[in-house]
Amino acid sequence: MTSHRRTAALRIAVLTGIGALAVTLIGAVGGAPASAASCGAAPPPRLVGTVPGAALEGLTVDAAGAAYTTDLLSGRVFRLAAPGAPAVPIARVPSGGAGALAWAPDGTLLVGYGADARVAAGDVIRGGAIARLNVRTGNLRPWVGGLSAANGMDVAANGDVYATNDFGTLIGRVSPGGQVNAAWGTLPSANGAVLGRGDRFLYVSRTFVNPGVSRISTANPRVVQSLLTLGGADVTAAPDGLTLDSRDRPVVPFNADGRIVRITGPGRYCVLAQGLASSSVLSYGRGGSGFSAGRLFRAGFDGRIYEIPAGWDRDAVAAFPAR
């Protein structure tokens, strides 16, 4: 088994183990904590795409409504032209598993990679990297390295790129010119990365350490605010790659126990969907057709992409610079 397959299997095994424990704890205490509620009635999740045999890690949508996702196991990047369309491989990263996806200001798709055994020691060896992918031609070329990892990633309007490692502590920032600051910020087990309005805050999940959700000041990364800290039956929920709705409210997959939730206030959340264990990342759609704006989509280690109808938000879109 190659190193990136070993690490993908390790991450999936860790989250699966947490999920089993979560089921036990939830059964023991009799359900979700008082701070959780249903977000309201809506149709159940709808399967809109599959990549057989893949462990999906990244997810985003372009202006025409095509979805892109990455496979930790093979290192491939896939495109789905519309819900229900086949997943077509368009590129493969040069080494390690493929991770997060994010759009650069010029329309290039940034692809995080290096999701192999190095991520467990990423703060020390900094084997994470980012490639630039032209989605029209399929041309992919390495851009920068030296990051702890790129399991989560987003890009500011000025071109600054932020990248996280859920197995480590360091959060990296890369300038538009490619200067890497691998230790721009520190937050144990930061996972996912999405910038709020005006790029003032970077929102991240905390997956394995002190599980919950935080936002970090981009002006001063030492300023970190916890929006949600999970305890009790939720402590093993394993928050993963989050997104934001049109009101900058985090929408978060709980990988281990299968819930998709929206944070509604400090320490409070409601449940949009459940029964989707191994959910790794969320993204809203974009454009007026295909994976269109306002619709919420989930990808997971099960190789499946679902639409979450309860997450509908007319004004929400996939993350892209200056959205």
Side-chain angles (χ1 to χ4, degrees):
M1 184 184 290
T2 61
S3 61
H4 65 274
R5 286 183 179 271
R6 283 196 297 271
T7 296
L10 171 63
R11 186 162 186 253
I12 295 166
V14 168
L15 289 162
T16 300
I18 289 173
L21 179 58
V23 170
T24 301
L25 288 173
I26 290 171
V29 302
S35 59
S38 170
C39 296
R46 181 172 68 95
L47 184 66
V48 294
T50 59
V51 186
L56 303 180
E57 175 74 354
L59 180 66
T60 192
V61 180
D62 68 18
Y68 299 81
T69 188
T70 56
D71 178 19
L72 275 171
L73 301 176
S74 69
R76 291 183 294 178
V77 181
F78 294 86
R79 177 169 52 211
L80 293 85
V88 178
I90 61 171
R92 187 192 296 265
V93 296
S95 69
L101 295 171
W103 297 101
D106 66 358
T108 298
L109 184 58
L110 303 183
V111 185
Y113 66 99
D116 55 26
R118 293 170 290 181
V119 296
D123 291 349
V124 177
I125 63 174
R126 303 183 184 182
I130 301 171
R132 299 176 63 90
L133 172 61
N134 183 322
V135 296
R136 294 182 299 277
T137 66
N139 179 50
L140 181 145
R141 59 182 179 86
W143 179 42
V144 297
L147 294 160
S148 180
N151 293 335
M153 187 165 55
D154 201 6
V155 185
N158 68 359
D160 283 341
V161 181
Y162 297 86
T164 63
N165 182 359
D166 59 336
F167 280 105
T169 297
L170 297 181
I171 298 171
R173 185 173 70 179
V174 183
S175 73
Q179 182 178 1
V180 175
N181 181 355
W184 170 79
T186 60
L187 185 66
S189 201
N191 195 4
V194 59
L195 290 155
R197 284 190 296 266
D199 298 333
R200 294 177 57 239
F201 294 100
L202 179 71
Y203 292 76
V204 299
S205 294
R206 309 187 307 268
T207 300
F208 301 119
V209 179
N210 186 29
V213 175
S214 294
R215 67 178 190 176
I216 303 164
S217 168
T218 55
N220 181 358
R222 290 172 294 185
V223 177
V224 180
Q225 177 187 8
S226 178
L227 304 177
L228 180 69
T229 296
L230 299 175
D234 285 342
V235 75
T236 53
D240 216 315
L242 75 174
T243 190
L244 297 175
D245 69 10
S246 63
R247 295 166 56 185
D248 271 4
R249 295 180 299 183
V251 185
V252 189
F254 286 178
N255 187 305
D257 72 14
R259 287 178 291 169
I260 309 296
V261 309
R262 176 194 291 128
I263 296 179
T264 55
R268 301 192 308 275
Y269 66 87
C270 66
V271 178
L272 294 166
Q274 52 191 339
L276 294 174
S278 298
S279 298
S280 58
V281 62
L282 300 173
S283 177
Y284 276 97
R286 196 172 165 200
S289 62
F291 291 85
S292 53
R295 299 162 67 188
L296 178 66
F297 300 96
R298 164 270 190 202
F301 294 148
D302 56 6
R304 297 181 177 184
I305 301 172
Y306 286 87
E307 181 181 353
I308 312 298
W312 164 256
D313 179 344
R314 182 187 62 186
D315 298 319
V317 296
F320 66 92
R323 69 185 182 281

